[in-house]
Amino acid sequence: MSIACCCPILECVYCLACARWVWQKCLYTAGHESEHWGLATVEEFEPVPRLCRLILAVYEDDLHNPLWAPPGGYGIDPDWVFLRRNDQETQGRATPYLIYLDHDNADIVLAVRGLNLAKESDYAVLLDNKLGQTKFDGGYVHNGLLKAAEWVFDAECEVLRELVKKHPSYTLTFAGHSLGAGLVALLAMVAVQNRSKLGIMERNRIRCYAFAPARCMSLNLAVRYADVINSIVLQDDFLPRTTTALEDVFKSLFCLPCLLCLMCLKDTCIMEEKKLKDPRRLYAPGRLYHIVERRPCRIGRFPPVVRTAVPVDGRFDHIVLSCNATSDHAIIWIERESQRALDMMLEKDGIMRVPAKQKMVRQESLAREHSEEHKAALRRAVALDIPQAYSPSTYGTFNEMEKAESSAGSSERGFL
């Protein structure tokens, strides 16, 4: 009799718990993830909208007569496009890309577009979907994306080497969106590990901007390469947050809300400590830039704010149940909102009338702050006992740390 009486009480407790979970998830917004991060500056965020437009340009067949140019155009000189690779030339090994010589900004850019749902060949990158099964430089990476990155590196290594030799003062930048973002993130890691083949000695000459990236590397690698890789995420974008296999995500686009809800429920049942200790769990790569433009219980878009950090825990681990989860993934929206954010930063700088000399001092100060933040993130990863994480103090300097990484990476890789 007593057991029978307890059943309604247990059912009520269970229903209340479920209602509380649903309520919290519905109120959870992407802005909560980055509310304690620092604000991005003009100097570090300036390349973002420009590289967005360059990625959009990869979709064009003829850049002299563009069909889908954003407002204001692509802002590039078609004659500075050094080479292009289409679907036939990549043979399904990677998504189409181009190499652009940006003489205005002293930059050699390799831009990779995202998945084109109309092209079956693009799915070839996703077929080998062994998430967290491939080791690289002491961590784990997405197997299919690593193969695509290796193919691009092998195909364009000599071209990039010649361009770097011809323009010794230029930086080498990799930029990509969605699937292409995961590819360029791993491509940047491959390039860093093989700088001698590119004729580059300095690690800081290689940069990567991953827009709406897939989760493609383990936490220790995501933090370790934060000085090279920058991930840009617009508000509620689903892809950097979902741990679902990439091919399953793109196969289920028409019922994606159902998939996201199931993943949300699954992640809720996993302890945070267990997530951090899982060496095969993949994360969004590098330093994170979060563009926040909507507020809880408010309608419409507000002036965007860009926050940045190198987080260890709380690294876009929770799926946001939002009607904008898929639209925020679109490169067009990322370009628009990043340009709006940059315009607001420039307007603020114009009002303050910062002298050129002071701007140079601010750039040097920013570089030091980023370096210290990166080291602090590495130390926190060690403190949280993240698998294969180590502090820069172990080797004394970053130069020594790079040598240790290179020796470790060369013993684990045999693809080059």
Side-chain angles (χ1 to χ4, degrees):
M1 182 69 179
S2 60
I3 296 176
C5 293
C6 288
C7 286
I9 298 176
L10 291 174
E11 289 178 359
C12 290
V13 171
Y14 178 77
C15 290
L16 287 172
C18 290
R20 180 176 180 273
W21 178 83
V22 172
W23 177 254
Q24 286 183 332
K25 283 299 176 184
C26 288
L27 289 182
Y28 183 83
T29 64
H32 293 157
E33 297 168 317
S34 58
E35 59 184 347
H36 299 300
W37 297 3
L39 294 176
T41 62
V42 174
E43 289 78 12
E44 60 184 310
F45 197 71
E46 181 274 331
V48 171
R50 169 164 47 88
L51 293 173
C52 267
R53 290 188 286 272
L54 191 54
I55 295 170
L56 280 169
V58 183
Y59 289 90
E60 295 281 2
D61 293 325
D62 183 5
L63 286 173
H64 289 91
N65 301 288
L67 299 177
W68 305 293
Y74 292 112
I76 64 174
D77 186 340
D79 295 329
W80 291 354
V81 176
F82 190 79
L83 67 79
R84 301 188 64 170
R85 303 292 188 202
N86 57 27
D87 291 289
Q88 289 73 31
E89 292 171 307
T90 60
Q91 300 176 348
R93 300 290 192 89
T95 49
Y97 59 88
L98 61 78
I99 295 179
Y100 180 73
L101 289 176
D102 189 349
H103 297 294
D104 291 335
N105 297 282
D107 203 3
I108 302 166
V109 184
L110 192 154
V112 186
R113 71 159 170 78
L115 180 75
N116 187 346
L117 295 176
K119 294 284 186 180
E120 292 184 6
S121 59
D122 283 11
Y123 284 94
V125 180
L126 302 175
L127 294 179
D128 190 0
N129 194 37
K130 298 178 181 178
L131 283 170
Q133 295 295 316
T134 302
K135 291 203 72 175
F136 183 93
D137 195 18
Y140 289 88
V141 296
H142 185 283
N143 191 57
L145 290 175
L146 179 61
K147 285 185 176 180
E150 293 171 7
W151 185 89
V152 174
F153 185 84
D154 289 339
E156 310 303 343
C157 182
E158 289 301 321
V159 173
L160 294 175
R161 181 183 178 89
E162 289 301 317
L163 291 176
V164 167
K165 183 179 179 180
K166 187 176 180 181
H167 306 282
S169 62
Y170 284 23
T171 53
L172 177 60
T173 300
F174 302 103
H177 169 249
S178 188
L179 177 64
L183 192 158
V184 296
L186 298 185
L187 179 58
M189 293 169 60
V190 172
V192 167
Q193 290 293 320
N194 296 273
R195 296 196 299 276
S196 60
K197 294 190 175 184
L198 294 171
I200 297 176
M201 299 305 296
E202 305 86 359
R203 179 183 173 113
N204 59 8
R205 281 190 65 189
I206 299 175
R207 303 183 303 171
C208 173
Y209 288 86
F211 297 88
R215 297 166 74 100
C216 58
M217 62 183 67
S218 56
L219 185 55
N220 64 322
L221 295 179
V223 175
R224 190 188 308 166
Y225 283 87
D227 60 326
V228 175
I229 304 172
N230 304 281
S231 291
I232 296 87
V233 178
L234 176 60
Q235 189 86 17
D236 301 332
D237 188 0
F238 74 95
L239 193 60
R241 296 179 171 86
T242 179
T243 55
T244 308
L246 291 183
E247 62 180 11
D248 295 335
V249 169
F250 288 106
K251 284 178 182 177
S252 60
L253 281 179
F254 294 105
C255 58
L256 188 58
C258 301
L259 178 65
L260 294 181
C261 287
L262 289 174
M263 289 305 303
C264 184
L265 180 62
K266 177 185 175 183
D267 286 345
T268 304
C269 300
I270 302 176
M271 299 294 292
E272 194 71 26
E273 184 178 354
K274 185 177 180 181
K275 294 179 184 178
L276 294 174
K277 296 296 178 63
D278 184 1
R280 297 178 185 270
R281 186 179 177 87
L282 305 183
Y283 291 83
R287 169 177 286 276
L288 302 180
Y289 289 88
H290 194 200
I291 305 174
V292 181
E293 53 166 0
R294 290 184 297 274
R295 301 174 187 175
C297 304
R298 303 287 182 88
I299 299 175
R301 296 175 183 264
F302 289 80
V305 176
V306 184
R307 301 169 184 158
T308 181
V310 186
V312 180
D313 44 347
R315 194 180 183 86
F316 291 144
D317 284 333
H318 299 284
I319 291 175
V320 179
L321 299 180
S322 166
C323 58
N324 302 107
T326 53
S327 62
D328 284 349
H329 184 69
I331 185 68
I332 295 176
W333 276 112
I334 298 174
E335 188 274 331
R336 289 181 185 177
E337 298 307 316
S338 62
Q339 186 62 58
R340 284 182 62 201
L342 180 61
D343 289 342
M344 291 181 60
M345 294 179 192
L346 291 170
E347 183 180 353
K348 184 178 179 181
D349 266 17
I351 294 173
M352 295 174 63
R353 296 180 181 177
V354 181
K357 187 176 181 179
Q358 187 175 340
K359 286 184 179 180
M360 292 181 60
V361 173
R362 192 168 64 179
Q363 288 177 353
E364 295 174 357
S365 175
L366 178 66
R368 288 194 299 270
E369 289 175 6
H370 278 195
S371 178
E372 290 301 320
E373 188 177 3
H374 184 208
K375 292 178 182 179
L378 289 168
R379 287 191 287 268
R380 178 160 178 75
V382 173
L384 292 174
D385 199 21
I386 303 301
Q388 298 296 322
Y390 54 79
S391 172
S393 60
T394 304
Y395 299 101
T397 66
F398 272 101
N399 289 333
E400 293 171 346
M401 185 174 69
E402 289 171 23
K403 293 177 183 178
E405 289 176 6
S406 299
S407 61
S410 61
S411 64
E412 293 171 0
R413 293 192 325 280
F415 61 87
L416 290 173

